[in-house]
Amino acid sequence: MALLGYDLFLARKSLRRNPGLTLLVVVGIALGIAVSTTFAAVRHAFQTDPIPEKSSMLHSVRLDSWDPAAPHPDRVGVPPQVTYRDMVEIMKSKIPVRQSGMFKTNLYVFPADKAQNPFEEMARVCYRDFFAMFGAPFAYGGTWDEKADGGEPVVVLSEPMNQKLFGGVNSVGKTVRLRDRDFKVVGVLAKWMPNLRFYDLTQNYIGEPENLYIPFGLLRPMELQLAGNNDGWGPNTGTGFEGYLASESTWIQMWVELPNAQAVAAYKSFLDAYATEQKKIGRFQRPLNNKVTPLLEYMADREVTPRAVKSLFAVSLLFLAVCAVNLIGLLLGKFLARSGETSVRRALGASRKDVFLQHLVECQLVSAVGGVVGVLLALGALSGINAWLKSQTGRGDLFALDLPMLLVALALTAGAGLVSGLYPAWRACQLAPAVHLRIG
Amino acid sequence: MASDFGPILRALSRNKARASIIVLEVALTLAIVVNCVSLIKDARLELAKQSGFLDEDLISVRVRAFDPAFNEQPFTDSVIAKDVEALRALPGVAAATQTRFRPWQGGGSSNEVWIAGTKSPTFRIQTYAADGQTFKSLGITVAEGRDFTDDEAVSERDRVRAVTSQNRPRSADGRATTPIVQEIVVSRAFAKLAFADGVALGKSLEDSDGDQYAIVGVIDRFYNPYAWNIGEYVMFYATRSTGMQYLVRAEKGQRETLLKSLDKALLTVNPGRVVKMDTIQDLKLKNQGEQLFVVKMLGGVIFLLVFVTALGIVGITSFSVAERTRHIGTRRALGAQKTDILRYFLTENWLLTSFGIVIGSGLAFFLNAALVSSSTASRLAPVLLLVGMGIMWVTGILSALAPALRGMRIEPAIATRNV
């Protein structure tokens, strides 16, 4: 321990002797840590499991009800959403512990306080299971009852919406006017801010969750208009809203919670049986290809992490590699330049191991300082990227240096220091005592 | 210069580690920089795309009604007509129309069609409603064939509504027995895709309802980002659509003024609504956000990378000079000129950089192959490699210059001094 203290003392002394050079070395490694940590954090924001306690149980459901003439143009060849008629039928299954079809719609909100202007708001239209399924916590009240799923005017508010409409008090039981009817508030969510809107990856999934949630059964009586993606094919068999509901248009995200492998297998065969049944009436003319995909796999399927982010991360690691090579060169030069001093230490009895450790400690000190500076730079860079993202999507807190990312930065720092330090330290401890003493 | 090669190579061979560090650093930097520039080039290609319209003068206006009177379609239709009139009457408005189409919104509506009466492959194509003012509002003219008229848009809307308001009789294959024929204007890119001779005018398309689309016009350019690579393919058909969505083209320089007066004009027509305005340039910025991000970030990385490499070369060359102080003094005492010393170090650096560049070139192609196979990156253009080589040579020389100049100034007397 005392030796380590002495090594640190020597390292500090050596770093202070040539401040210009020390700055060069520190800046070099700090930039490497900053760039790689920044892009690791950006990538991390897309790859974090949004709901670790149950992501393996949440499954996205996709049915291949597409055009027999050509597969769906998505990468996996199956439409990412299901038709209304199929959702109605498969929701009858008792296998999932929880399930919900859903979509989003724009609604006008008329605040009870007449001084506030009516405003437009995105609402999620879903089943009562939505909240428990996706881990949305309630501050007041809870989800609506089963009967309300059929189409009663009840609503769950997000925390910000409750703040806006009712000043944040417990508003359960109060009414809020949405479009042309009064909705009773049955629940208010507590703060809920998953990294991504992972329950709907079809469109603009970087963003905050919706502020209003209403029962799916209101679709027909209110003729709710879809605000998300709609992929369709084939002839319209009817007219108007009913015609749309009966068509082959796919526009509903379907999720089920399946607790174990048996349930997954049972549910899969249920879907295949359904599709086979539908084949008899002329639908589902493509080969059976229904997909029940766990959340994380589905996120990979949908390519949630933008390719640009993956490329930038790869590039940043290469950048760090260059910085490490750079560090090797500079340390090597530095150590060999003071070989005289090292020889003296050796001649005075320091063992090779002592010299080796002394130099390694100096490397670690350099990279530790570089790491701290690098993390500070990364914080700056991330806040810049967040500000930019806010201007794009309205969400300004997506990228952060959380604990796992700080650990990554720490590992990168220690790794870079060690990898870059080993060779120069080894070269330094190979110096023979006598030769340099003679010159000196 | 060539006479220096021998001593330089012998000196380097005695200090392999330091030499190989410079070589490795230059090689890695070259490989990364060249590939980053290639990625930037890909992104720029996307950024350089043109919608085909006068983006900088366009404003998209979207109106949402909360007044229940709007539940009646005829009422909405009458308000739309008045809205459009009010918009066109505003000073500073060059043209205005009702349409759901917004350049650069990304996505929209699309349909699958094929060449009527053939078993041609199906094509996915974007579809938008248009009237006599749509192309004028977008700031273009129909290049071939004819434009729509306003009367046509109204009569077509009424005609199609009449047919589709009741259950259409259908044959066994699901197609309507009384197909609707509509006239459309398509983009030149679609004409080239669908018809071998590139001539679309006078030809017809068909969709899975059995409805037919007769091509009466072609516009030169169109691009709106859309999944499935159909960004350049579009058909406009004559109709008045139902939504209160407008596209306004301001006279040159009038856009900002209009943004302040547009909503008041519409609320004067009917106050039971909320008006939202976006400039098409804003939509474009949002749509290209990811590409812009990539370009900026990669640009930053390239800059930092070259900077770090330069730092490295400065540092290593400095050591190399410092270590040989006595040798330099000796050479100078034996009659070497200052320029000989300078040349020695620059040549040494040039040799190392060049060696790094040779290795880096191979590495660049290797890295590019990995990028191409794992993403949408395109192949490395050899000219980029040449540019990258140039950058590395210049960086190498400039970085070595300061330490080499320091070496040059070493006095011959130092040879005789004992440290």
Side-chain angles (χ1 to χ4, degrees), chain B residues 53-65:
Chain B
F53 310 118
L54 293 183
D55 295 345
E56 63 274 18
D57 297 328
L58 298 182
I59 304 170
S60 149
V61 185
R62 302 214 277 186
V63 186
R64 289 268 183 178

Side-chain angles (χ1 to χ4, degrees), chain B residues 12-281:
Chain B
L12 286 177
S13 72
R14 237 169 290 131
N15 207 334
K16 287 194 203 77
R18 206 181 286 165
S20 36
I21 295 271
I22 291 194
V23 169
L24 186 59
E25 214 176 321
V26 168
L28 280 173
T29 304
L30 176 66
I32 300 169
V33 164
V34 167
N35 275 287
C36 285
V37 172
S38 179
L39 289 175
I40 289 181
K41 225 181 87 199
D42 289 351
R44 289 241 159 174
L45 219 57
E46 186 65 27
L47 288 174
K49 282 197 174 146
Q50 304 284 326
S51 71
F53 310 118
L54 293 183
D55 295 345
E56 63 274 18
D57 297 328
L58 298 182
I59 304 170
S60 149
V61 185
R62 302 214 277 186
V63 186
R64 289 268 183 178
F66 49 79
D67 186 339
F70 283 93
N71 291 341
E72 297 302 320
Q73 192 60 51
F75 179 79
T76 307
D77 288 348
S78 74
V79 173
I80 290 174
K82 282 185 214 153
D83 278 352
V84 172
E85 249 174 64
L87 289 173
R88 288 181 190 154
L90 271 178
V93 170
T97 190
Q98 174 218 14
T99 179
R100 276 174 196 271
F101 172 63
R102 313 200 293 169
W104 292 112
Q105 79 171 357
S109 48
S110 69
N111 194 5
E112 255 172 355
V113 294
W114 54 88
I115 300 167
T118 70
K119 292 214 182 303
S120 83
T122 61
F123 308 104
R124 195 161 266 275
I125 182 171
Q126 303 187 42
T127 67
Y128 304 102
D131 63 15
Q133 296 292 316
T134 302
F135 296 123
K136 225 171 273 175
S137 301
L138 288 164
I140 59 161
T141 51
V142 174
E144 256 179 67
R146 68 173 186 87
D147 199 342
F148 300 126
T149 66
D150 283 342
D151 292 344
E152 198 179 1
V154 175
S155 62
E156 281 292 293
R157 175 195 66 194
D158 295 343
R159 184 171 74 93
V160 174
R161 266 190 202 166
V163 178
T164 54
S165 64
Q166 51 212 291
N167 266 321
R168 298 168 73 182
R170 287 172 190 277
S171 51
D173 60 1
R175 296 192 192 178
T177 48
T178 49
I180 304 170
V181 180
Q182 278 192 288
E183 299 191 326
I184 59 168
V185 171
V186 300
S187 56
R188 172 120 26 230
F190 180 76
K192 284 190 181 147
L193 171 82
F195 304 104
D197 56 1
V199 179
L201 221 52
K203 296 182 179 148
S204 275
L205 304 170
E206 184 181 344
D207 72 9
S208 53
D209 273 336
D211 294 333
Q212 302 230 343
Y213 304 92
I215 301 169
V216 298
V218 177
I219 56 172
D220 270 332
R221 297 169 80 179
F222 175 86
Y223 179 72
N224 172 48
Y226 208 109
W228 313 332
N229 272 328
I230 60 166
E232 294 183 10
Y233 311 139
V234 69
M235 64 153 91
F236 287 96
Y237 54 97
T239 205
R240 279 239 177 280
S241 48
T242 49
M244 286 187 281
Q245 295 193 24
Y246 309 105
L247 198 64
V248 177
R249 178 161 62 88
E251 281 164 4
K252 284 272 169 261
Q254 296 295 306
R255 193 184 71 185
E256 296 311 306
T257 330
L258 271 184
L259 282 172
K260 290 182 199 114
S261 59
L262 271 183
D263 49 343
K264 285 181 207 92
L266 292 175
L267 292 179
T268 313
V269 174
N270 182 308
R273 315 181 285 174
V274 175
V275 179
K276 195 169 174 274
M277 292 176 289
D278 295 287
T279 68
I280 296 305
Q281 274 185 325

Side-chain angles (χ1 to χ4, degrees), chain A residues 21 24 27-28 31 35 39 66-67 72-74 106 108 110 118 120 231-239 306-308 311-312 315 318-319 322-323 325-326 328-330 332-334 336-337 385 388 391-392 423 427, chain B residues 15 17-18 21 24-25 28-29 32 36 39 64-66 112 124 164-167 170 173-174 208-209 228 274 285-286 289-290 293-294 297-298 301 304-305 307-309 311-312 315-316 319 323 367 375-376 418-419:
Chain A
L21 183 70
L24 214 69
V27 167
L31 286 176
V35 171
F39 291 117
W66 202 250
D67 188 355
H72 184 273
D74 244 24
N106 275 307
Y108 260 100
F110 296 84
E120 197 174 21
D231 297 345
W233 68 277
N236 291 315
T237 43
T239 56
R307 286 186 177 179
S311 312
L312 281 169
V315 167
L318 291 172
F319 180 79
V322 173
C323 291
V325 171
N326 189 39
I328 297 178
L330 292 175
L332 191 63
K334 194 171 167 57
L336 295 186
I385 297 176
W388 169 82
S391 74
Q392 289 271 312
Y423 179 71
R427 280 290 299 268
Chain B
N15 207 334
R18 206 181 286 165
I21 295 271
L24 186 59
E25 214 176 321
L28 280 173
T29 304
I32 300 169
C36 285
L39 289 175
R64 289 268 183 178
F66 49 79
E112 255 172 355
R124 195 161 266 275
T164 54
S165 64
Q166 51 212 291
N167 266 321
R170 287 172 190 277
D173 60 1
S208 53
D209 273 336
W228 313 332
V274 175
L285 267 182
K286 269 197 180 161
E290 191 176 319
F293 179 71
V294 170
M297 292 298 129
L298 286 176
V301 169
L304 291 177
L305 193 54
F307 178 67
V308 165
T309 303
L311 286 187
I316 294 175
F319 291 127
E323 193 187 53
L367 190 59
S375 70
T376 51
N418 226 339
V419 180

Side-chain angles (χ1 to χ4, degrees), chain A residues 200-252:
Chain A
D200 178 3
L201 297 173
T202 56
Q203 211 187 32
N204 312 331
Y205 47 78
I206 303 172
E208 298 170 359
E210 289 82 4
N211 289 319
L212 299 168
Y213 301 83
I214 60 172
F216 204 104
L218 290 166
L219 168 70
R220 269 201 162 93
M222 290 182 76
E223 296 207 352
L224 294 170
Q225 295 295 317
L226 174 71
N229 284 349
N230 177 9
D231 297 345
W233 68 277
N236 291 315
T237 43
T239 56
F241 198 71
E242 286 304 315
Y244 170 60
L245 295 187
S247 74
E248 291 292 354
S249 285
T250 59
W251 50 279
I252 296 171

